[in-house]
Amino acid sequence: MSLGKKQRISNTSWIEAVATIQDAVPQEELDALVKSTVEEIRRATADQRAAYAWSGGKDSIVLGKLCEMAGVTDSMIGLCNLEYPEFLGWVIDHKPDGCEVVNTEQDLDWLAKHPEMLFPQNSAIAGRWFSIVQHRAQREYVKEHNLDVIILGRRRADGNYVGRGSNIYTDGKGVTRYSPLAAWRHEDILAFIYYNSLQLPPIYNWKNGYLCGTHPWPARPNTGSIANGWREVYDIDPSIVIAAGDKLESARIFLKEVQA
């Protein structure tokens, strides 16, 4: 059974799909898709100054391998100072050779001034996180390197905008974004990871890992409440909440309840 739209998939269904991916996507079927996608990337980036955006998430891991196969070797990742330490360590150890880190520098002081950004409970706030970290980092990288196009791992199955028809568009700030994985299904991504024995970051082993994806810890979505958000982060890494207690009252309240 197909996983379908991301918003309707449970984390358990993702894990079950990983366990049975050989049955869902035969190697030959995946190989044909990979070949056509690599050829498409080559055509789209011919005579273009291009690089790809890598986040450490499953889609970007697949994207990176395909771009390398197509001859696009420059890459970047947008991070801030509010990353999970274990995830950040994984990124440093596993990012592609030459992947440039662009730090947009949001930290606890910034978060204390923008409390509405803590544990977003709606798509508008969650989208703002992408805007101020990933999109800003991509703009800075494109400008710094005078790129014609930056390649993204966006897919329609995730509900992402990829342009109208061509999988490429230029935004209002002049950044041209290209999404060669636009038509890839969730199963195709999982199959590529399986057949190529690729490692995923620890975030996918945490609670609702496939639903949350990669994100700075205060951008953890759909926690239901601020208190539940602190609980989920505390279960992942108590040191994050302890440090946040120096700046954020809601973290201090949570810690008092935990320690009572």
Side-chain angles (χ1 to χ4, degrees):
M1 183 175 67
S2 173
L3 285 171
K5 292 294 185 181
K6 180 179 180 180
Q7 292 76 6
R8 301 172 185 164
I9 310 170
S10 69
N11 201 68
T12 299
S13 294
W14 276 106
I15 294 171
E16 291 173 351
V18 170
T20 59
I21 197 61
Q22 276 183 291
D23 298 329
V25 184
Q27 174 98 54
E28 297 78 10
E29 179 181 324
L30 178 71
D31 288 346
L33 178 61
V34 167
K35 181 180 179 181
S36 64
T37 304
V38 169
E39 290 173 351
E40 178 189 326
I41 295 171
R42 286 183 180 138
R43 288 193 300 269
T45 60
D47 301 320
Q48 300 283 301
R49 294 183 297 273
Y52 64 89
W54 192 86
S55 70
K58 56 181 173 51
D59 294 352
S60 81
I61 289 172
V62 173
L63 176 72
K65 295 300 182 182
L66 296 176
C67 284
E68 300 274 342
M69 293 166 67
V72 179
T73 57
D74 291 336
S75 63
M76 57 79 64
I77 180 171
L79 299 171
C80 68
N81 294 325
L82 296 168
E83 305 292 341
Y84 297 94
E86 187 179 356
F87 172 70
L88 182 59
W90 187 92
V91 165
I92 298 305
D93 290 341
H94 293 86
K95 65 185 179 66
D97 291 341
C99 181
E100 183 174 322
V101 176
V102 180
N103 191 333
T104 54
E105 300 186 350
Q106 290 81 10
D107 57 15
L108 283 172
D109 288 324
W110 177 90
L111 188 59
K113 295 175 182 176
H114 300 84
E116 75 282 0
M117 297 296 289
L118 181 62
F119 306 132
Q121 301 303 310
N122 60 67
S123 59
I125 299 297
R128 285 178 61 189
W129 274 106
F130 282 102
S131 177
I132 64 177
V133 180
Q134 286 89 351
H135 293 176
R136 174 182 160 190
Q138 290 165 13
R139 282 198 308 274
E140 291 180 3
Y141 183 84
V142 166
K143 182 178 179 180
E144 176 69 22
H145 295 272
N146 194 29
L147 296 184
D148 297 310
V149 62
I150 188 160
I151 309 172
L152 309 181
R154 291 179 179 173
R155 296 184 297 115
R156 293 190 186 92
D158 280 337
N160 292 325
Y161 180 72
V162 296
R164 293 175 178 160
S166 64
N167 302 332
I168 188 167
Y169 72 97
T170 301
D171 67 17
K173 296 186 179 180
V175 176
T176 298
R177 293 181 166 93
Y178 167 47
S179 303
L181 302 183
W184 278 49
R185 303 169 301 167
H186 303 307
E187 291 87 354
D188 299 326
I189 295 294
L190 298 179
F192 187 95
I193 290 167
Y194 172 78
Y195 287 121
N196 290 279
S197 301
L198 302 178
Q199 290 189 35
L200 291 178
I203 206 161
Y204 290 102
N205 294 322
W206 300 340
K207 180 178 179 179
N208 292 330
Y210 282 92
L211 301 183
C212 293
T214 56
H215 60 279
W217 63 258
R220 188 170 184 80
N222 303 317
T223 60
S225 69
I226 298 297
N228 286 343
W230 286 125
R231 165 57 66 189
E232 291 184 13
V233 172
Y234 187 86
D235 288 344
I236 293 167
D237 187 340
S239 71
I240 294 173
V241 187
I242 293 169
D246 292 336
K247 301 288 184 179
L248 303 173
E249 182 180 7
S250 61
R252 291 193 293 273
I253 293 172
F254 171 81
L255 289 169
K256 286 181 181 178
E257 293 175 353
V258 169
Q259 297 163 358

